[in-house]
Amino acid sequence: MKKYILLSLLSFVFWVTNAQKSDIAPQDLNGIRAIGSPANPKVKMAWDSYHDYAQVTQLGRDLVKAYPNLVKMESVGKSYEGRDIWVLTISDFNSGEVENKPGFYIDGGIHANEMQGVEVAMYTAWYLAESFQTIKFINTLLKEKVFYIVMTISPDGRENFIYKSNNSNTSRSGMRPFDNDGDGLVNEDKLDDLDNDGHIVMMRRKSKTGRWKVDTKYPTRMYQVKGDEIGEYEMLGYEGVDNDKDGLVNEDLIGTYDPNRDWGWNWQPNYVQNGALFYPGTLPETRAIKAFIVNHPNIAGAQSYHNFGGMFLRGPGAAEDDALFSSQDIEVYDNIGKLGEKMIPGYNYFVIHKDLYTVYGGEIDFLSLTRGIFTFSNELMTSYKLFNQKSTAGRWDNDEFNEFDKYLLFGDGYLEWKTFNHPQFGDIEIGGPKKNYIRNHPGFMIQEDAHRNMAFSLYHAYQTPKLEIIGIETEKLSGDLVAVTATVMNTRIIPTHSLHDVKNKIERPNYISLTGSAVVAGMTVQNEDLNLFTEQKFTPETIAVPNIEGMGNVKVRWIVKGNPSGATVKVSSAKGGTVSDKIK
Amino acid sequence: MRKKILFLFVLCFGITHAQNDYLNYQNLTKNLKELDVKSKYCTVKSIGKSSGGKEIWLLTISESTTPKPALLITAGLDGKYRAGTQITLKMIENLLNSDKLSKILEEKTIYFVPSVNPDAIDAAFATIKMEKSGNDTKTDDDRDGKIGEDPFEDLNKDGLITQLRIEDITGSFIESPEDSRVLIKADPMKNQVGKYVLISEGIDNDKDGMFNEDFSEGVNIDKNFTFDYPVFEKGAGVYVASEPETRALLDFLYLNQNIYGVLTFGMHNNLSETPKYDSKLASSRIIKGWLEKDIKAVERVSKLYTQKAAIKDGPKMPMTKGNFAQTAYFHAGRFSFSTPGWWVPKVEAKKDSLDSKLEKPKDKDKEAVNSEVSFLKWADSQNIKSAFINWSVIKHPDFPNQKVEVGGFAPYTLNNPPVNFLEETATKHVLFVEELLAAMPKIETNVPEVEKVRENLYRITIKVANKGLLPTYTEIGDKIRFVSKMKTEIVLQKNQSMVSGRKYFIRNSMQADESEEYSWLISGTGKVTITTGCATAGFKEVIVDLK
């Protein structure tokens, strides 16, 4: 009988290996394949353009269809305008329960004009599924971990950015209308695309008193004159008219709130934190994601992709929360962030409130402080990437973008100035950078940066806790009593609980239990050599361990009656997964 | 207008529905729905569903469907405090019977949300009664990954969850010398030695050494709001504004810009004693103290409360973290008042018939007043028998060799007296609400001055003033995007054009007796319309004929 079982098992293994082989395209095995990339993916994708909501949804559907054992897609809620917010669950569904694996959460494009965040999230999902058979590291990663990828967290704003007239900074908000200027009217004076070309550019007017001049090197560029230099133009702001005749132009735009000020840590109202709404969770999008996060306590690491500036940001968003990041938690961030600086040239590892600006009620703080998840937010794209060198000029007033446009984009980045007759300003000219230039990567650069940022996040995900029972020892005591000592090690750098989590009891403790043996007493071992133990008087068979540090270990000991051979030691950790072993 | 039935019904209402006890959720709903049918001024609708799926009822008293400057009166946020809901129901009844109502409604609207946390109501009607603050959200109160694994047990089978006192070496409680039923902390400075350990009634179900630490109490809505949110505290929710009740009430408040002020019946009091101005707290980046002008207004309101409505001796009850009352002011920018509504009446010291002076308690005595002792004194004097369960010995499995007694205050009694004791306070609070409504801002204008500058060119000048006792809205409201601002707007006809002036002027909150002058140069004859005001103060329209 045993033989037959073995035989059928062997043939099953053979069948599985064969099935796996058939997933690998011949091109992936020969020289046509460029190292590190799928040569003949099942889901064909081009990574040199941006994708709209239908294409984002289609990628999810295609991946589920091509890799049903690796990818699952579900809607976690609807956006304000009724679009589904998709979450892709990516893991090897054939090895272990997904909810018992350490999870890594990724989202993109909460600020919808920051387009490439969505592309990096999409690329990651695609790359993981397509590389599962060919790259051992990815294979192991999907066996051990689960990824939850929300490709676009603000689908309404993204559609608006793509299909409606915008500049590079608009459609940052969602689409829920609000009165911005306190006049009791809602969205009554929006930006106006005067020439209907889909881009909101700048307005300028010839003026003897103006303080601006044309840059002769790059005629689309205007610069501000200094000292006693005489200017030729005045700048009149973004394309628009005074729609409601109140003496103000473009003063009441769509939305004008910030979905990244709608979370639930140190939330402050709009007079402290611009962009905040009634309460954290006023928006259906953030509400849906928060519920998802809380319902997935296995999420141990997270990444939220933004642009611009080339940064790996960690919390806190506000200086008063600095003390909540203990030196031992910061050490973890430092390890990942500093490696990131090497992985992505031109990117810097920063703290939000120190190096960027203060953010109250942001998503990063919600994840790291309300939920105790080790979280980074990457600010994608930096002017460094233009010529692979650090610019000496400031963020917005350097001319490298113009130079790059001239020699590498052949002038595609800007709209040349053209005349327009404006109802309030008279004869003016309109021109300037297209909405999808400056903040968003030019086409040929998307894939490389997507890959580098994905690699950073995969390293981060790899470092979520991995618990291993590295030893179980038994020792006979007097009478029929036996001491069982189990050593559990976390072989990655992220602890099962941040120190902030331990202090505030955010997540339940880790439980290490012994079943199948009569437990008389249970304890954690402080120092085995010096015989230091802390007994747990109640429920001794299940020892509660508040934290297992990164690269650290804990020892627990049970005193049992009789021979414990065959009993099971099980480690159960919300963020560290479950693992068990039998006593020999 | 879907209101029709005779006003007579309203008059009868109080009689037909006189109740002797607190309402459960079903009866509360029935009660409110009947008001909707019977009173031509009442509309009842739901502003959202609770975590447990119950409706959060809003009762609007208004004579029209157009919103007018309004007060929002809320109760039943923390489930432990039930009297507020009963008081508001009585208030609605009294208001509907008030002969001042029709006059009030010409200019004002009154909103009531008598039970913001309806899930909590029925806990008081359970077979085994225990005080429950929270809604029906499943909570892991001790954050051990298990939900509700160590609830209370009714050990003496009296249907009530009270307390256990255990004689133990570690005990720090003793019987109060004033009333032996009440336990107080032993004070070593008075040579007192602790005798009892005091815990809630129940056993250690999960054998973890803690008693009743997780019965999944739900989220206390009055801890889930945005101002000063007590993160990670038991009962506060997993994160701020996590609960549907919290969001429903805030959505209602923010979206109805006509709500001038909020009156909350809860376990805090800023009416008997007003907040004090603290320039540091009021001017920090995150504002934590009432702004100066708003304090002046609150002081006026407090006088209406303690003097005009003669609501005396309110206990000092500091604001709690994450509550609605503070959020309504600091975040939503509305005047926010709160009161427990009912408290143990002060027992006046008996005075000698010949002594004209009232005997005042000395400062030292005042300090020593124990609220539990004075409650029992009052309950005894009123013959309220069920308030206290006398200590009686039981056998407890977790303390086999120790003397364990069960007893203490019956759940809810301390803050929720029998309903007949709420009649008087409801009447007084109606008086207060009427005074408050009358004190609200009044926007008035003069007859605009029209000067004919030249043929076809006119200068219009108008003075706008607030003649109410209170400002048009809070000073803090000027900082808040969602508060309707004071706006003075002119609407011209097609043949007219503006030579000077703006289509509209927006200004800061207008204090009581403050005024402002606006002028325009208009070319063209005919009528122009000037509108001035804001949602919390109402709008006034003036038509000027240029000729």
Side-chain angles (χ1 to χ4, degrees), chain A residues 46 100 113 184 200 216 248 327 336 451 455 465-466 474 506 511 569:
Chain A
N100 289 335
N113 62 320
I200 301 290
T216 47
L248 301 164
S327 57
I336 301 170
H451 189 91
K466 184 180 184 197
T474 53
I506 296 172
Y511 289 122
V569 175

Side-chain angles (χ1 to χ4, degrees), chain B residues 77-246:
Chain B
L77 288 116
D78 179 339
K80 281 183 182 160
Y81 178 58
R82 305 166 60 214
T85 299
Q86 297 296 136
I87 294 172
T88 53
L89 291 173
K90 285 267 173 240
M91 285 174 71
I92 295 168
E93 211 173 278
N94 291 355
L95 265 170
L96 293 175
N97 289 328
S98 163
D99 46 14
K100 290 184 202 149
L101 186 66
S102 60
K103 181 88 184 123
I104 289 171
L105 295 184
E106 283 173 15
E107 287 176 353
K108 304 284 170 15
T109 295
I110 312 168
Y111 299 115
F112 280 94
V113 181
S115 174
V116 178
N117 182 4
D119 287 350
I121 297 180
D122 288 354
F125 294 90
T127 344
I128 296 172
K129 257 200 228 186
M130 75 197 154
E131 280 194 14
K132 185 175 186 280
S133 292
N135 63 2
D136 281 356
T137 297
K138 294 271 170 277
T139 53
D140 177 7
D141 292 345
D142 58 344
R143 294 169 183 257
D144 64 350
K146 286 163 270 184
I147 287 176
E149 80 286 357
D150 194 352
F152 298 103
E153 281 81 21
D154 182 16
L155 299 175
N156 61 343
K157 305 286 174 221
D158 63 352
L160 305 171
I161 299 299
T162 53
Q163 286 183 304
L164 298 179
R165 65 180 194 191
I166 303 129
E167 282 186 24
D168 192 276
I169 182 79
T170 63
S172 58
F173 287 89
I174 55 163
E175 290 171 353
S176 163
E178 295 172 280
D179 187 325
S180 63
R181 292 171 289 182
V182 174
L183 295 188
I184 57 166
K185 275 252 178 204
D187 182 356
M189 294 306 283
K190 291 179 184 163
N191 289 328
Q192 293 168 339
V193 180
K195 182 180 174 191
Y196 296 108
V197 166
L198 194 59
I199 58 173
S200 52
E201 188 178 345
I203 57 167
D204 180 9
N205 304 67
D206 55 348
K207 304 289 173 221
D208 64 349
M210 288 177 286
F211 286 81
N212 317 320
E213 78 282 4
D214 189 355
F215 77 103
S216 193
E217 197 184 356
V219 179
N220 176 354
I221 301 308
D222 217 23
K223 273 183 158 184
N224 194 236
F225 286 92
T226 52
F227 182 76
D228 201 15
Y229 171 68
V231 64
F232 303 134
E233 222 173 78
K234 189 173 170 176
V238 175
Y239 49 89
V240 60
S242 59
E243 301 309 297
E245 296 89 342
T246 312

Side-chain angles (χ1 to χ4, degrees), chain B residues 271-327:
Chain B
L271 279 167
S272 306
E273 220 167 296
T274 57
K276 302 281 171 286
Y277 180 64
D278 179 328
S279 64
K280 213 175 144 200
L281 292 178
S283 61
S284 58
R285 181 174 182 181
I286 295 171
I287 297 173
K288 287 180 177 161
W290 281 66
L291 303 195
E292 204 168 6
K293 287 174 188 164
D294 294 338
I295 283 188
K296 277 184 193 138
V298 174
E299 280 165 355
R300 289 183 167 185
V301 174
S302 179
K303 278 193 182 129
L304 300 180
Y305 191 75
T306 55
Q307 294 171 12
K308 287 265 170 98
I311 304 171
K312 306 272 190 203
D313 307 323
K316 232 188 195 173
M317 291 177 97
M319 280 293 166
T320 50
K321 282 171 169 273
N323 73 13
F324 175 61
Q326 294 212 94
T327 299

Side-chain angles (χ1 to χ4, degrees), chain A residues 176 178-183 244-246 248 255-256 264-265 267-272 276-281 287 290-291 294 320 358 360 366 369-371 500 504-506 508-509 511 538-539, chain B residues 140 142-146 204 206-210 226 229 231-232 238-241 246-248 250-251 254-255 257 285-287 329-331 476 479-485 487 502-504 506:
Chain A
R176 181 169 167 177
F178 285 99
D179 173 15
N180 304 335
D181 54 341
D183 65 352
D244 57 343
K245 311 271 185 324
D246 65 347
L248 301 164
T256 9
W265 180 270
W267 181 89
Q268 295 297 335
N270 79 301
Y271 60 85
V272 180
L277 292 170
F278 304 160
Y279 50 84
R287 224 155 53 219
K290 274 191 279 187
V294 171
E320 59 261 41
T358 296
Y360 290 105
F366 175 80
L369 294 170
T370 308
R371 299 308 302 155
H500 170 71
N504 297 293
K505 294 187 80 179
I506 296 172
R508 68 162 172 93
Y511 289 122
F538 305 95
T539 61
Chain B
D140 177 7
D142 58 344
R143 294 169 183 257
D144 64 350
K146 286 163 270 184
D204 180 9
D206 55 348
K207 304 289 173 221
D208 64 349
M210 288 177 286
T226 52
Y229 171 68
V231 64
F232 303 134
V238 175
Y239 49 89
V240 60
T246 312
R247 297 196 298 262
L250 288 179
D251 278 335
Y254 277 96
L255 292 173
Q257 293 186 315
R285 181 174 182 181
I286 295 171
I287 297 173
Y329 174 73
F330 288 103
H331 288 174
I476 202 170
K479 300 174 184 291
I480 295 167
R481 174 179 171 186
F482 309 107
V483 169
S484 159
K485 304 294 183 296
K487 178 178 171 183
R502 303 204 46 176
K503 190 184 168 196
Y504 59 78
I506 290 180

